[in-house]
Amino acid sequence: MRIGVPTERKNNEYRVAVTPSGVHDLVSHGHSVVVQAGAGTGSAISDEAFASAGATLADDADAVWSDAELVLKVKEPIESEYRHFREDLTVFAYLHLAAERDLTEALLASRVTAVAYETVQLPNSTLPLLAPMSEVAGRLAPIVGANTMMTPHGGPGLLLPGVPGTHPGRVTVLGGGVAGTNAAYIAMGLGAHVTVLDTNLARLREIDALYSGRITTVASNGFEIENSLRSADLVIGSVLVAGAKAPTLVSNDLVSRMRPGSVLVDISVDQGGCFEDSHPTTHADPTFPVHGSLFYCVANMPGAVPHTSTYALTNATLPYVRALARSGWRDALRADPALALGLNTYAGDVVNDAVAAAHGRPARPLESVLSA
């Protein structure tokens, strides 16, 4: 199969969708891989490293997209890339279509086969291709939150761990999944007082046992969210419903009653955000004020640490890329029910139920696509 890897176009996005070891694996199995020159520079991967692994280097994005049967990306295509869409193309990337109406419409109009990393789901309900970036974003969230709390960055001038004789910062994490657990782990390591809220009591028991009670666990509901947020210095939103828009857990009214200078980091912003006033920001301009608080809503947080993120992502995606390249997307999806759940659009139809519901469209049954 002809596989294309273009340079990412999203603001301050330095990841690349494959590493040289991934290229070597694909080429050794008889596939051709075309990588746009400079695509790996931000991840400290040189063009020479890709070429040595067997990739063909292309001077521009047009050369990558035009000849590819399968395009691998990290983040969703932006508007300037829509012109590359065509019916015989398969795109494999983070798409987050429930929160991306324009992209959804462009994929449907071009009849692209779009497979989303974030909706590939194993029988135990885990999301293997979202997990590595959730780990990265979760571990980054307390770090960027603590940085935002410094006075030069608009914060209240609070040192999250405090020092002897002072109170440490109070961190509330909404959601005890992969991102939330990693956020809590780092916040605890920084010396903060950490509370995790989740509706899954079994998950809260796991967190309590894992950290020997050093993290406070609370069953999540509206009352407890308000109670925790009103005393929090840093709030990390990490709520996920696979493929769907994130539920809104924090209203603007509640934000208005939080501590002045508090910081809210919304990891869920890729899926619409779990704070009422969340909207995607960029690494170049990451925060905005809401009442007396600061929101940090960068939609590609792992892009700030691209070297780590690129290798972590390829570790997870390569087995699925290998299957798509070896068998073609339809046979690969037939053979792997987990990968089949990644199919979001096909031949002008939405296939994923959550994406269809988000845009008020009918969903084409997955079975009808795979049996065609």
Side-chain angles (χ1 to χ4, degrees), residues 9 61-63 65-66 80-86 89 112:
R9 296 295 304 278
D62 288 342
W65 285 86
S66 63
S80 63
E81 295 176 290
Y82 296 174
R83 63 188 178 85
H84 299 299
F85 293 170
R86 61 182 194 276
L89 178 68
V112 170

Side-chain angles (χ1 to χ4, degrees), residues 70-73 90-93 115-117 129 317 320-321 324 339:
L70 171 65
V71 165
L72 305 179
K73 282 183 53 62
T90 300
V91 174
F92 193 31
V115 184
Y117 294 157
L129 304 189
T317 59
Y320 296 97
V321 175
L324 290 167
L339 181 58

Side-chain angles (χ1 to χ4, degrees), residues 64 71 75 91 96 107 113-114 130 147 151 227 249 279 323 364:
V64 175
V71 165
K75 290 300 293 178
V91 174
H96 301 291
L107 291 168
T113 299
L130 191 61
N147 191 54
T151 296
N227 185 55
L249 300 184
H279 63 260
R364 179 170 177 175

Side-chain angles (χ1 to χ4, degrees), residues 149 156 232-235 255 258-264 292-295:
M149 293 170 73
D233 301 296
L234 171 61
V235 178
V255 174
M258 290 179 63
R259 288 182 175 179
S262 55
V263 173
L264 294 88
S293 300
L294 271 178
F295 278 31

